[in-house]
Amino acid sequence: MRQDNRMPRVLHALLHLDQMTDPATSDLLAGMLNTNAAVVRRTMAGLRDQGFVTSTKGHGGGWVLAKPLSEITLAGIYDALGAPKLFALGCGNEESHCLMEQAANAATAEALRVASETFLSVLSAITMADLARDYETRMKELGLNPDDYRFDASKIP
Amino acid sequence: MRQDNRMPRVLHALLHLDQMTDPATSDLLAGMLNTNAAVVRRTMAGLRDQGFVTSTKGHGGGWVLAKPLSEITLAGIYDALGAPKLFALGCGNEESHCLMEQAANAATAEALRVASETFLSVLSAITMADLARDYETRMKELGLNPDDYRFDASKIP
DNA sequence: AATCATGTAACTTTAAATGATTCATGATCC
DNA sequence: GGATCATGAATCATTTAAAGTTACATGATT
């Protein structure tokens, strides 16, 4: 299957949302994420259902962050995306009648299970506020002032 | 992409190989693995290159285990398969100019890196002999004697 | 020489995210 | 109230790599 990039995309989108003074339209976000509005709507739908963001229709509508970044963990986002399949590796058919196949599948499954546990535990220890801090660090490393880069869509000529 | 099941397949194949008295043809293995000979050859090629198995052509040819199971770790097999892509999840484009995207990608990549480390460390702690023991346990749990099930292709009528 | 089995290359199939398009629905502005 | 804006959703095409398939050359055994 194709690579699933929803996770980093959504993180990226949330960081931008946090810096917006007005609701961000799907089109605007799509431009930032190098994709299109339909993908944005589809991907953000889960976050809306979980209360991380809200969306409004009509003039001046769009996406708005509904919680402070410090209250959003990466694990929460992963869940909101529907806990997408993590591995490209499979562990075979579950209901095999061959006992050797069962042993082979069980060993593979166990290694994947442990790796998945690790992954989730790392995600639950990181909040979006941590990412925002990382972003600001990157800004300063380039000698830039983050305050100069907050996004005010109403100021686009 | 489609699920990658080479790992559990190869483990399964090696367990069978260990119980063979004669070389196993790709066709025989394919029957055991519910696939076809070409896939078996393709998948086992890496194991041959790493010296885990040998293959011989012609009458009576086929695949033979080249090392005791206790000297084959699952990590070694994973490597022999070319260390296939582990995750279905991606961590975005590496060379993004957007610092927010960089922060989002870095966080995702870090979680994946840690999970991958865990995966490999579990694999390196398991040998094929462990799987063989697990297989024998499963046999005994069903009240069967593993010795009755060794495979002697020459005895197929 | 015939047969068997691997080695390899080329092509097709498959699954799932992503890209793209369309239309209905609701909110805002004039 | 009508035009416009934006989401919600459904549908269809595209993409990607493993897996399935087919074909043929090469080498070993009988």
Side-chain angles (χ1 to χ4, degrees), chain B:
Chain B
M1 95 197 66
R2 200 182 222 186
Q3 189 107 331
D4 179 352
N5 280 299
R6 281 174 291 181
M7 185 77 186
R9 265 199 176 155
V10 166
L11 303 185
H12 182 191
L14 291 182
L15 288 178
H16 276 294
L17 278 188
D18 186 51
Q19 301 237 311
M20 306 288 259
T21 58
D22 295 306
T25 66
S26 299
D27 263 322
L28 178 61
L29 285 176
M32 293 167 160
L33 305 185
N34 292 307
T35 180
N36 63 75
V39 172
V40 170
R41 293 191 193 110
R42 197 158 48 189
T43 309
M44 299 284 285
L47 300 206
R48 181 190 57 227
D49 296 343
Q50 292 302 312
F52 293 124
V53 296
T54 57
S55 60
T56 54
K57 295 180 176 180
H59 267 286
W63 300 88
V64 173
L65 206 57
K67 286 190 179 186
L69 292 190
S70 60
E71 291 177 20
I72 306 178
T73 69
L74 301 204
I77 293 175
Y78 181 71
D79 273 344
L81 289 175
K85 185 161 62 80
L86 177 55
F87 297 108
L89 238 73
C91 56
N93 188 343
E94 294 205 1
E95 38 203 296
S96 161
H97 287 231
C98 173
L99 296 182
M100 291 188 183
E101 186 172 358
Q102 286 183 18
N105 292 354
T108 308
E110 173 63 8
L112 292 177
R113 190 191 62 73
V114 175
S116 161
E117 249 179 23
T118 300
F119 180 71
L120 291 176
S121 109
V122 172
L123 288 195
S124 60
I126 304 178
T127 72
M128 286 305 301
D130 296 325
L131 295 211
R133 269 189 291 278
D134 182 27
Y135 159 68
E136 300 215 343
T137 301
R138 289 169 192 267
M139 285 294 274
K140 287 170 189 160
E141 273 173 5
L142 293 182
L144 304 174
N145 181 356
D147 293 333
D148 298 339
Y149 288 81
R150 300 206 190 280
F151 193 90
D152 187 344
S154 67
K155 293 196 183 136
I156 291 181

Side-chain angles (χ1 to χ4, degrees), chain A residues 102-124:
Chain A
Q102 287 182 18
N105 292 354
T108 309
E110 172 63 9
L112 293 177
R113 189 191 62 74
V114 175
S116 161
E117 250 179 23
T118 300
F119 180 71
L120 290 176
S121 109
V122 172
L123 288 196
S124 60

Side-chain angles (χ1 to χ4, degrees), chain A residues 1-153:
Chain A
M1 88 199 73
R2 200 183 222 184
Q3 190 110 327
D4 178 353
N5 280 298
R6 280 175 292 182
M7 185 77 186
R9 266 200 174 154
V10 165
L11 303 186
H12 183 190
L14 290 182
L15 287 177
H16 276 294
L17 278 188
D18 186 51
Q19 301 237 313
M20 305 289 256
T21 58
D22 295 306
T25 66
S26 300
D27 264 323
L28 179 60
L29 285 176
M32 293 168 160
L33 305 185
N34 292 308
T35 178
N36 62 74
V39 172
V40 170
R41 292 193 192 109
R42 202 158 45 189
T43 309
M44 298 283 284
L47 300 206
R48 181 190 55 225
D49 297 343
Q50 293 299 313
F52 293 124
V53 296
T54 58
S55 60
T56 54
K57 295 181 174 180
H59 265 288
W63 300 88
V64 174
L65 206 57
K67 286 189 180 186
L69 293 190
S70 59
E71 291 177 21
I72 305 179
T73 69
L74 300 204
I77 293 175
Y78 181 71
D79 274 344
L81 288 175
K85 185 160 62 80
L86 178 55
F87 297 108
L89 238 72
C91 57
N93 187 343
E94 293 205 1
E95 38 203 295
S96 161
H97 287 232
C98 171
L99 295 183
M100 289 185 183
E101 186 172 358
Q102 287 182 18
N105 292 354
T108 309
E110 172 63 9
L112 293 177
R113 189 191 62 74
V114 175
S116 161
E117 250 179 23
T118 300
F119 180 71
L120 290 176
S121 109
V122 172
L123 288 196
S124 60
I126 305 177
T127 73
M128 286 304 303
D130 295 326
L131 295 211
R133 269 189 291 278
D134 181 28
Y135 158 69
E136 301 216 342
T137 301
R138 289 170 192 266
M139 285 293 275
K140 287 170 190 160
E141 274 174 5
L142 292 182
L144 304 174
N145 181 356
D147 293 332
D148 297 340
Y149 287 82
R150 302 204 188 283
F151 193 90
D152 188 344

